[in-house]
Amino acid sequence: MASQTIQKVALAGASGLLGTPMLHALLNAGFDVTVLTRHSSTATFPSTVSNVVRVDYENLNELRQALKGQDALISTLTTFSISTQEKLIDAAIAAGVKRFLPSEFGSDCSIKEVREMPMYKDKSEIDTYLRSRCEEQGVEMTWTAVYCSCFLDWGIDNNFYLNLKDKTCTLYDGGDFPTATSPTDWVGEAVVGVLKHADETRNREVKVSGIDISQRELLSIAQEVTGKEGWSATESTSQAAYEGAMEVFEKNRSNVWGWVMGMLVKGVFGEGCTRDFVGGKNDNGVLGLRQITREEVRGYFERAVRVGKSSKTF
Ligand SMILES: NC(=O)c1ccc[n+]([C@@H]2O[C@H](COP(=O)([O-])OP(=O)(O)OC[C@H]3O[C@@H](n4cnc5c(N)ncnc54)[C@H](OP(=O)(O)O)[C@@H]3O)[C@@H](O)[C@H]2O)c1
């Protein structure tokens, strides 16, 4: 197969939590970026974006037109419209796009146990669809699925690792083992690494870790930032969190935030899940990525305290 060089990149969902830092990383790296945004969107984009195209994600023709001439398409579409990507995949193939990165960017869905969790159902279906379409005869599009575990900044803002405001923490499975976590701006750099190493990342999962760090170490950093006073920690297991989440899911699946965090706990901290791509068992080296430092992690906590984001709860 011919070597792939990527210069023209389309980004769908560029105004979102991940899309915003992703867009900056792509622009900083010198890619020629086209943004896809919904007709209804009120998002605005920097003037350095060469092209902003309004699309209807249900309209195949419109999507195909928007994607003509693009080397790669990155989707950072919202968790709540993952299935939308089916048409996007079809349009990208029809437009001759060489590489598609689906909206994954979380737990390692290549692991059966993770993949089968209800919260990853839509992502798994899209992943299966993307792989099978790329395998069809005559289709030249390739794919890369990026798994980065929980976003560090999102995890802090949404009380995933601990609760900065209430000064509480539930340590899962002892809390002493390192697990992967990746800040959103760092994930943008990781995707730049994927595009710059297009041949090495063709048709495969890429696992990256911003830093391998234990929950207890995150707690210790949080306590350095806020002062130790007033903190309380309890212990539980990722399995118990998962079972609790499944119970809520079975009773009332429309209460998404009642079950999603418990599943994420298992996906991130559970043995055999995403925590397994630490200790160098990741693709950071392939992409030329450095891990962030403990000091940088501290910076994310300081920022959260400054802007008061950790008061957000679901
Ligand atoms: N690892 C983690 O900890 C973690 C945390 C959060 C999210 N994620 C994952 O990261 C990816 C991106 O999530 P995100 O939170 O960054 O997304 P988001 O901010 O919720 O949304 C991203 C963009 O999607 C577009 N969008 C919104 N509603 C849509 C709809 N109904 N149909 C089509 N497009 C729509 C919007 O762009 P326009 O307005 O420009 O159209 C929006 O800015 C997802 O796969 C998500 O599961 C991972």
Side-chain angles (χ1 to χ4, degrees), residues 177-209:
F177 54 89
T179 186
T181 182
S182 306
T184 46
D185 47 1
W186 186 91
V187 176
E189 288 171 30
V191 165
V192 166
V194 168
L195 300 180
K196 286 188 170 169
H197 296 84
D199 289 334
E200 297 93 321
T201 57
R202 177 200 307 261
N203 291 337
R204 54 168 289 212
E205 299 118 13
V206 163
K207 303 174 189 191
V208 291
S209 170

Side-chain angles (χ1 to χ4, degrees), residues 13-19 36-38 41-43 45 57 76-82 84 103-107 123 148-151 154-155 264:
S15 56
L17 169 83
L18 177 62
L36 305 190
T37 185
R38 290 165 299 162
S41 179
T42 53
F45 301 96
Y57 285 107
T76 56
L77 288 182
T78 183
T79 312
F80 307 102
S81 67
I82 292 297
T84 301
S103 193
E104 282 282 352
F105 308 110
S107 295
K123 286 189 176 180
C148 56
S149 193
C150 188
F151 299 154
W154 182 90
L264 192 57

Side-chain angles (χ1 to χ4, degrees), residues 35-91:
V35 158
L36 305 190
T37 185
R38 290 165 299 162
H39 289 288
S40 59
S41 179
T42 53
T44 55
F45 301 96
S47 55
T48 39
V49 174
S50 60
N51 207 5
V52 176
V53 187
R54 295 208 167 262
V55 292
D56 170 359
Y57 285 107
E58 294 304 319
N59 187 325
L60 191 63
N61 267 335
E62 210 174 277
L63 291 172
R64 185 171 48 82
Q65 283 299 333
L67 291 170
K68 263 196 185 150
Q70 298 298 321
D71 297 321
L73 169 59
I74 301 164
S75 168
T76 56
L77 288 182
T78 183
T79 312
F80 307 102
S81 67
I82 292 297
S83 312
T84 301
Q85 294 173 106
E86 194 168 309
K87 278 221 171 60
L88 208 47
I89 292 165
D90 292 343

